[in-house]
């Protein structure tokens, strides 16, 4: 509503018309109405003599979208309670949006530690956010925060955040693997040492972490294997710390081994 023509510029056979888009969402098409006032250099009227024979009503259409997008829901996409290493959320918006990354979400946790957003996939009006459940039992809630980066395809910024559903994390108590070799504080002249540990009953696979700090705040390498041995990528001279934990057939994870 309230659409107006604001001005006409140009000469010769091309002109530019500026249109005020008014209020609301919808479509706008510019039509030319022939009233014989448009003539060429020889005074021939558009479409020849007579009103309407030079009309043009098949021009391109603008889609006008001034309504900001909203976030509709953040729902669990898996079973709850969960013992999985990763859980997923389905995030739904009111329309197609762009500009989404990890900084648009925050995790609210209780009891569990070391959680983080691992991947974001999808397009259009939906995204699937995968969350690593870290260590321990407790609760994880995924929240969308409005940091001014998410827009719809017309550039309208989303205007609100939303708190999502909560996962209850209850992991089976798989025992911690017992590490075999290399021994702790070993000095190795080998950039790809073979790490070995004992098999854990009911374990389907094992997760290995290698860090250059004993609190694993800076992880150099992490991987998963079905074997009880693992060879890391070539390491440079340094002191490294490693640990292993077991994962069962349902994705439930056990306790970390002692650190070597």
């Amino acid at each position: 509503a309230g659409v107006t023509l604001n001005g006409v510029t140009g000469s010769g056979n091309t002109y530019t018309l500026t249109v005020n888009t008014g209020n609301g969402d919808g479509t706008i098409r510019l039509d030319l109405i022939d009233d014989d006032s448009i003539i060429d250099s020889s005074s021939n009227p558009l479409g020849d003599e007579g009103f309407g024979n030079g009309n043009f009503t098949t021009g391109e259409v603008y889609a006008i979208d001034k309504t900001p997008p909203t976030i509709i829901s953040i729902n669990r996409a898996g079973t709850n309670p969960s013992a999985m290493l990763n859980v997923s959320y389905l995030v739904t918006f009111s329309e197609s949006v762009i500009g989404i990354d990890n900084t648009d979400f925050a995790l609210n946790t209780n009891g569990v530690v070391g959680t983080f957003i691992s991947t974001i996939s999808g397009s259009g009006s939906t995204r699937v956010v995968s969350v690593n459940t870290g260590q321990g039992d407790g609760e994880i809630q995924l929240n969308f925060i409005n940091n001014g980066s998410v827009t719809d395809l017309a550039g309208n910024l989303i205007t609100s955040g939303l708190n999502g559903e909560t996962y209850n994390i209850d992991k089976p108590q798989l025992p911690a693997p017992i590490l075999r070799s290399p021994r702790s504080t070993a000095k190795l002249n080998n950039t790809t040492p073979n790490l070995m540990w004992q098999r854990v009953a009911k374990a389907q696979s094992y997760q290995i972490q290698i860090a250059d700090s004993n609190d694993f705040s800076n992880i150099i390498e992490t991987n998963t294997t079905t074997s009880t041995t693992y060879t890391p990528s070539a390491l440079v001279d340094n002191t490294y710390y490693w640990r292993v934990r077991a994962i069962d057939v349902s994705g439930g994870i056990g306790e970390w081994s002692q650190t070597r």
Side-chain angles (χ1 to χ4, degrees):
V3 177
T4 57
L5 284 168
N6 279 6
V8 181
T9 59
S11 61
N13 66 343
T14 58
Y15 290 81
T16 298
L17 280 74
T18 302
V19 178
N20 183 296
T21 58
N23 305 307
D25 298 342
T27 60
I28 296 176
R29 187 186 72 213
L30 180 67
D31 293 343
L32 186 147
I33 307 302
D34 173 31
D35 60 1
D36 278 358
S37 63
I38 301 177
I39 58 175
D40 63 15
S41 58
S42 299
S43 298
N44 299 305
L46 182 70
D48 208 352
E49 297 286 347
F51 286 11
N53 52 16
N55 287 355
F56 187 84
T57 58
T58 57
E60 292 185 330
V61 174
Y62 272 104
I64 305 302
D65 177 7
K66 298 183 180 182
T67 301
T70 58
I71 183 166
I72 296 175
S73 62
I74 305 175
N75 293 332
R76 295 184 299 265
T79 58
N80 185 54
S82 178
M84 301 295 287
L85 180 62
N86 291 278
V87 294
S88 295
Y89 284 89
L90 178 63
V91 183
T92 303
F93 298 89
S94 60
E95 58 180 306
S96 292
V97 291
I98 56 176
I100 295 178
D101 58 28
N102 287 20
T103 63
D104 298 304
F105 297 94
L107 294 173
N108 182 26
T109 63
N110 179 30
V112 294
V113 295
T115 59
F116 61 91
I117 296 172
S118 52
T119 62
I120 299 176
S121 60
S123 60
S125 61
T126 59
R127 298 293 189 278
V128 175
V129 180
S130 180
V131 177
N132 185 290
T133 56
Q135 298 89 47
D137 296 341
E139 297 177 335
I140 298 176
Q141 181 186 45
L142 179 70
N143 300 328
F144 178 80
I145 54 177
N146 179 25
N147 65 3
S149 65
V150 180
T151 71
D152 63 15
L153 301 183
N156 297 304
L157 282 169
I158 200 165
T159 58
S160 62
L162 183 69
N163 293 340
E165 292 184 334
T166 297
Y167 272 104
N168 296 304
I169 306 302
D170 183 11
K171 297 174 182 174
Q173 296 303 307
L174 288 174
I178 297 175
L179 306 185
R180 294 177 58 191
S181 69
R183 69 183 187 279
S184 196
T185 71
K187 290 181 170 58
L188 305 177
N189 186 21
N190 180 5
T191 62
T192 56
N194 191 31
L195 310 180
M196 302 177 63
W197 57 92
Q198 291 184 5
R199 187 180 69 86
V200 173
K202 298 184 180 180
Q204 184 188 51
S205 59
Y206 302 88
Q207 184 184 35
I208 305 95
Q209 287 185 344
I210 302 171
D212 62 7
S213 56
N214 60 7
D215 62 356
F216 288 83
S217 59
N218 185 36
I219 295 175
I220 302 300
E221 186 169 340
T222 184
N223 214 328
T224 303
T225 179
T226 57
S227 174
T228 55
T229 64
Y230 178 73
T231 302
S233 304
L235 303 171
V236 299
D237 288 358
N238 200 354
T239 299
Y240 295 96
Y241 303 84
W242 65 288
R243 63 184 181 179
V244 181
R245 62 182 174 180
I247 304 173
D248 67 15
V249 66
S250 67
I253 56 179
E255 298 298 319
W256 284 112
S257 69
Q258 290 185 344
T259 298
R260 284 193 178 182

